[in-house]
Amino acid sequence: MNKVIDLNRAEAICKESNTIIKHYDEIRQLNGEDFNVYSLLGLEHAENQTHSNFLAELLNPLGTHRMGNIFLQLFLDRIGLDELIAEGAFVTIEKHIGAVDLNKKTGGRIDIHIEDKNGNSLSIENKIYAGDQQSQLERYVNYKKNQNSVFYLTLEGSDASLESKGSLIAGEEYQLISYKDDILDWLVDCQKEAVEIERIRSGIGHYIQLIRKLTNQSTNYHMDEKLKNIIRNNYHEVRYLADQIEEVEKEQVIQLMEEVVPLLKDKLSDQWHVELDDFNKNYHGLSVKYKTLLTEPYIPFIRVEGQSKMWSQHSIIGMPKKKEENPNMDSYFKMHPQEWAFFSDSFKANHWWIVYKYFLGWNHKDEREKLFIEQERKNNIDYIIDNIALLANEFEEALLPRFKK
């Protein structure tokens, strides 16, 4: 049944909610809840440097916490993995399991790997913002297949992409766990065990605060209850407002990217052609091509692309493969990565891209919120333009001479 929306009531709901949020924001500021070392140091989004490292340190029986295997045992109990023995277990970050072989579906680097004295192991693929790699879960499941349990960890407990898991079935060949529930509950358990050791308890507390922020869980029960009551009492209007959010975010991203185009043209030399896609199609984005080589069949180009919707999923920047790809192009990038400082910290390649790295983070709510804050919005525009300009400069210096010979 269609029900007429009272727009005045919808506006009143927003104002009432905003008043509640502002009130509890003031309380949070007075309590110092906004102070978080990870956020202050700009590390809250770093998957390996922050999240994998912190989790692995707690899980490590030989970790600097000096509490032995207590935290690891709590984790194993939480995820229901009885076959791994915590005592004497060894933890490795970025465990190398051989060169990647996409045909055999083997090899790669496992984010967190735990092996016990009997050779049984636990592999955790840690995903905060980065997308999946080709056959990634399949490769990890194939490693020590009868002794290795694979867990796919994300903020909300979402499943892996088909590109990563292939025909594997979640809950059978690998397990899904989340920061929102599994990790957060485990951290609370760890904090209780460390109640008498102030530094450890405080360190875990800062990380718990970060996870609650990343998973949009308020630390204030009273605020949550008041907002829930507003939703209960005005569900139809709130539902209508919620349904409009993605469309508004889409419009905001399109407008931002349209503003990028003329500014980028001013930043680059006249030799570059800048083209924005139709955002109503999947895998849309922005292409930057060298004008005098547009007709060359093998010349790559620079592209920023949503995977597959820029306003709600992660985006990447790099050089996509063309239909008539130079067979030597892949080997060139593998042989000469030192010529590309832009990709030095996160060099990736697959069937669709010669080289790429993860770029825009609008797959996360906190980053999308910045689209509606004027200064943050300008920072986004500057970030996109500056990075494309850096890559264009390396393109001209390293790659262009090879096609001009």
Side-chain angles (χ1 to χ4, degrees), residues 104-326:
K104 295 181 179 178
K105 297 180 180 178
T106 57
R109 292 184 179 274
I110 298 170
D111 290 331
I112 302 175
H113 182 265
I114 307 171
E115 186 168 347
D116 70 10
K117 56 188 177 183
N118 294 329
N120 295 314
S121 62
L122 161 63
S123 297
I124 301 174
E125 177 55 26
N126 186 20
K127 295 291 185 187
I128 302 289
Y129 302 111
D132 291 328
Q133 298 174 24
Q134 187 174 356
S135 300
Q136 191 171 24
L137 267 185
E138 290 179 295
R139 289 185 274 116
Y140 299 164
V141 168
N142 286 335
Y143 175 67
K144 292 176 57 178
K145 199 161 187 177
N146 296 323
Q147 286 187 289
N148 182 42
S149 300
V150 177
F151 285 76
Y152 188 74
L153 171 61
T154 60
L155 289 175
E156 305 287 341
S158 55
D159 200 356
S161 67
L162 286 173
E163 179 188 12
S164 174
K165 68 180 182 179
S167 60
L168 297 176
I169 301 173
E172 295 183 12
E173 288 114 322
Y174 66 97
Q175 307 300 320
L176 302 177
I177 54 175
S178 71
Y179 277 92
K180 184 176 182 179
D181 296 315
D182 303 287
I183 296 300
L184 191 55
D185 290 345
W186 167 64
L187 290 169
V188 171
D189 291 341
C190 292
Q191 195 177 39
K192 291 177 181 177
E193 288 291 335
V195 67
E196 295 182 1
I197 308 175
E198 194 276 332
R199 287 198 177 188
I200 297 175
R201 184 184 73 251
S202 177
I204 295 174
H206 274 277
Y207 191 64
I208 287 174
Q209 183 183 346
L210 173 61
I211 297 306
R212 282 178 171 152
K213 176 183 178 183
L214 295 179
T215 55
N216 298 291
Q217 297 182 77
S218 169
T219 58
N220 196 302
Y221 171 81
H222 296 293
M223 182 185 75
D224 285 349
E225 284 305 303
K226 287 186 177 181
L227 293 175
K228 286 177 183 177
N229 282 332
I230 291 176
I231 295 172
R232 291 187 187 103
N233 297 331
N234 306 276
Y235 181 81
H236 187 65
E237 286 79 10
V238 173
R239 178 74 267 173
Y240 177 80
L241 292 171
D243 288 342
Q244 311 308 310
I245 290 176
E246 183 173 353
E247 187 62 28
V248 172
E249 291 172 341
K250 174 184 176 181
E251 291 173 357
Q252 200 76 354
V253 167
I254 293 174
Q255 183 181 345
L256 184 146
M257 295 302 294
E258 287 175 344
E259 290 183 38
V260 163
V261 172
L263 295 172
L264 184 58
K265 289 179 179 178
D266 290 340
K267 181 89 170 181
L268 300 176
S269 71
D270 292 338
Q271 294 298 321
W272 290 97
H273 171 72
V274 182
E275 183 179 357
L276 191 64
D277 294 342
D278 179 357
F279 271 58
N280 290 314
K281 298 179 181 179
N282 287 337
Y283 297 96
H284 46 254
L286 177 74
S287 296
V288 183
K289 303 177 181 180
Y290 206 76
K291 289 180 180 178
T292 59
L293 296 173
L294 285 175
T295 59
E296 290 284 341
Y298 298 142
I299 188 74
F301 59 95
I302 297 168
R303 183 163 173 81
V304 176
E305 182 177 281
Q307 305 291 295
S308 62
K309 294 179 175 62
M310 188 175 284
W311 59 88
S312 60
Q313 294 166 295
H314 71 269
S315 296
I316 57 180
I317 183 172
M319 298 182 195
K321 293 182 179 179
K322 299 180 74 173
K323 290 181 180 179
E324 299 180 28
E325 189 54 63
N326 187 333

Side-chain angles (χ1 to χ4, degrees), residues 93-106:
I93 301 173
E94 291 287 300
K95 168 76 172 179
H96 181 63
I97 58 171
V100 173
D101 187 326
L102 295 178
N103 292 321
K104 295 181 179 178
K105 297 180 180 178
T106 57

